[in-house]
Amino acid sequence: MNKTKLPSSSSSSSSLVSSSMASLSPPPPIFTPIQECEREGNDNQDSDEKTNKETRMHQGSENDGVSCNKCRPGNRDKISIVPVDNNGVSPNTGLLKSIFSSLTKKSPRTPSAEAELSQKLIQATKNRDDAVLEVSRLKSSVSNLEKKLNDLETYCHNLDSSKNQSFTVGNPDKVIKHFLISISESRSHVRILSHSMTIQIRQLGTKSLNRISSLLHPYDISISKNPKTLQFYLEAILNKSFFQDFESIGFHKSSQTQILNPIERCESNFKSFNNLQNLTWDEVLDKGTRYFSDEFSRFCDRKMNEVVTMLGWNRTWPESLLQAFFGASKWVWIVHLLANAVHPSLPVFRVEKGVRFESIYMEDMNDGGGGGAGENNRKTAPAMVRVMVAPGFYVYGNVVKCKVICSHGSEQG
């Protein structure tokens, strides 16, 4: 505690009072003193100023109700004046508490708070990564959509430029020539297959024979009749199966083309034709059909299953029958390729039972080109289609006639 040095002329009673108060009062806290006078103990200072200050101090003391004896020390210490509240505590104590409290609030966080912040940081990082990934996916989707849009615009442009006209790859006459040859080959090989099946029918069990009889029933034909007539009707059944959904891509009704540009599609089909037209049975035995064309291989498998199911055959096919089936499948597939090697594609047409015979579009297989009874019957009554043996085709301004078996006069009904 800083002691105030009193002058030697002070009375003993004042000294006792001061000592008594000092011992009873608690020691005040140490604070920065407020200077009462900036220039103390200067003997050269004007005595009038000192007198005025002392007078003011006396007046202030009397007003505050404090008595003072001989308050004009000759040389005194600096006095610290500290206001005290009612509880004897300095107001600056509250200031310290406030500072201490603010420091306490800024103290390091507890482990649980740090863990929570760590979890939030991990989650925020994950959300950011997910957002970046989603943006990348969206960019990829937009890029794919732009490519498809460009392809579609090209396709529409080509369609517009080819409106009311057709175009082929290479020499159009050459494509049509191959198409006509392929139709002839397909008909010949389906007839060979029908002939091979007719031979096998005699070796089948009762169940298979009944199945074939039911297939021929709508045409009023039995397997006990002329073998040549039976062969024609089997040929009709096989062609109906082979050329089903001929108009669709890959013989699939619900399939969609993978090449939108018609020029590129024609080129692709003509290229496939060149790869398959010279394919032999020995090459198929050696490497299989899938080696040469995956689409052609699937076509063969699908048609084989259809024929087996239709005829109800559950025995292993001999090689001669398999070879005949391969030949028919190959040339029907080639006709399909060439029909789509031009744009617009060459359409197939079919006729149903009961349709009036028209020589411009049909060829009656009963005629045999020799007139006779068939010719005489046709003069007396109009011929009606009994069964279509092979479909026909439109080739621009021309027609490849479909093959039919007609009924004449008394044969109808």
Side-chain angles (χ1 to χ4, degrees):
M1 173 180 174
N2 294 332
K3 293 183 180 180
T4 303
K5 185 178 181 180
L6 299 177
S8 58
S9 60
S10 301
S11 62
S12 59
S13 59
S14 298
S15 176
L16 289 174
V17 172
S18 300
S19 299
S20 175
M21 292 179 64
S23 62
L24 293 176
S25 301
I30 300 174
F31 295 101
T32 304
I34 300 176
Q35 302 297 331
E36 180 185 19
C37 181
E38 296 179 356
R39 295 181 299 172
E40 292 187 78
N42 190 348
D43 295 335
N44 296 327
Q45 190 173 10
D46 190 355
S47 60
D48 291 337
E49 288 183 3
K50 289 184 178 182
T51 303
N52 292 336
K53 288 182 179 181
E54 290 173 358
T55 303
R56 288 194 297 272
M57 291 178 65
H58 277 292
Q59 292 173 349
S61 298
E62 291 174 357
N63 293 334
D64 296 335
V66 180
S67 61
C68 180
N69 292 326
K70 298 180 181 180
C71 56
R72 294 180 60 191
N75 189 9
R76 55 185 178 176
D77 292 338
K78 295 179 181 179
I79 300 174
S80 298
I81 302 175
V82 180
V84 181
D85 61 12
N86 295 334
N87 295 324
V89 180
S90 170
N92 290 335
T93 303
L95 179 62
L96 288 176
K97 289 182 178 180
S98 175
I99 295 173
F100 182 78
S101 176
S102 64
L103 291 176
T104 302
K105 292 180 180 179
K106 296 180 180 179
S107 63
R109 295 179 175 86
T110 61
S112 61
E114 291 181 352
E116 183 179 356
L117 287 175
S118 178
Q119 285 295 113
K120 290 182 178 180
L121 179 60
I122 293 173
Q123 186 62 38
T125 303
K126 183 178 181 301
N127 292 341
R128 182 203 62 189
D129 294 341
D130 291 344
V132 171
L133 181 60
E134 184 63 22
V135 169
S136 177
R137 289 174 179 171
L138 289 174
K139 287 182 178 180
S140 178
S141 298
V142 170
S143 178
N144 291 334
L145 288 174
E146 288 179 349
K147 184 179 182 302
K148 290 181 179 180
L149 180 61
N150 290 335
D151 292 341
L152 184 59
E153 288 178 348
T154 302
Y155 174 67
C156 293
H157 174 74
N158 289 332
L159 285 181
D160 185 64
S161 62
S162 62
K163 188 176 182 180
N164 297 326
Q165 64 178 350
S166 60
F167 55 86
T168 58
V169 178
N171 188 339
D173 294 335
K174 184 178 181 179
V175 174
I176 300 304
K177 178 182 177 181
H178 283 300
F179 180 68
L180 297 177
I181 293 174
S182 299
I183 291 175
S184 178
E185 290 287 349
S186 69
R187 289 177 174 180
S188 296
H189 282 82
V190 171
R191 186 172 297 114
I192 292 172
L193 176 60
S194 175
H195 176 71
S196 299
M197 283 186 169
T198 302
I199 296 175
Q200 294 294 321
I201 284 176
R202 303 302 176 183
Q203 303 174 12
L204 298 177
T206 304
K207 183 177 180 181
S208 296
L209 291 175
N210 292 336
R211 175 68 65 87
I212 295 174
S213 296
S214 65
L215 292 174
L216 298 176
H217 181 71
Y219 310 113
D220 193 23
I221 292 295
S222 67
I223 60 176
S224 61
K225 289 187 176 182
N226 189 328
K228 185 176 181 181
T229 304
L230 175 61
Q231 180 179 326
F232 283 161
Y233 279 86
L234 278 177
E235 185 179 339
I237 293 173
L238 290 172
N239 272 317
K240 183 177 181 181
S241 175
F242 275 116
F243 284 93
Q244 184 177 1
D245 297 326
F246 179 87
E247 300 87 344
S248 303
I249 301 298
F251 288 87
H252 275 294
K253 184 173 292 186
S254 59
S255 64
Q256 297 180 355
T257 179
Q258 300 299 315
I259 306 175
L260 293 178
N261 189 313
I263 299 177
E264 293 178 1
R265 186 168 62 249
C266 291
E267 291 175 347
S268 176
N269 288 325
F270 195 77
K271 181 179 179 181
S272 297
F273 156 72
N274 285 326
N275 292 336
L276 292 177
Q277 65 171 329
N278 295 321
L279 181 62
T280 64
W281 172 244
D282 290 336
E283 289 175 320
V284 170
L285 286 178
D286 184 33
K287 298 181 179 179
T289 53
R290 192 175 300 275
Y291 176 83
F292 301 96
S293 172
D294 188 61
E295 287 185 321
F296 172 56
S297 179
R298 288 198 299 267
F299 172 75
C300 290
D301 292 341
R302 189 166 65 251
K303 293 305 175 182
M304 172 71 76
N305 291 332
E306 289 178 7
V307 171
V308 168
T309 301
M310 178 178 60
L311 300 179
W313 286 7
N314 55 5
R315 61 175 61 189
T316 303
W317 288 25
E319 183 177 341
S320 59
L321 189 60
L322 287 173
Q323 184 175 356
F325 180 85
F326 160 73
S329 300
K330 168 190 166 181
W331 287 104
V332 170
W333 179 257
I334 285 179
V335 169
H336 177 74
L337 291 175
L338 290 173
N340 290 279
V342 292
H343 182 82
S345 59
L346 302 176
V348 63
F349 74 90
R350 306 170 179 87
V351 293
E352 298 294 334
K353 178 182 178 181
V355 174
R356 184 187 179 94
F357 177 82
E358 297 184 48
S359 60
I360 296 177
Y361 302 100
M362 308 173 196
E363 178 185 345
D364 188 357
M365 298 183 68
N366 273 337
D367 271 350
E375 182 67 23
N376 294 331
N377 286 334
R378 201 163 29 248
K379 290 179 180 179
T380 59
M384 306 298 290
V385 173
R386 192 169 188 176
V387 63
M388 183 191 74
V389 177
F393 296 88
Y394 295 108
V395 185
Y396 303 133
N398 301 305
V399 171
V400 176
K401 295 181 180 183
C402 65
K403 289 183 176 293
V404 298
I405 296 178
C406 291
S407 58
H408 304 275
S410 60
E411 297 177 350
Q412 300 178 17

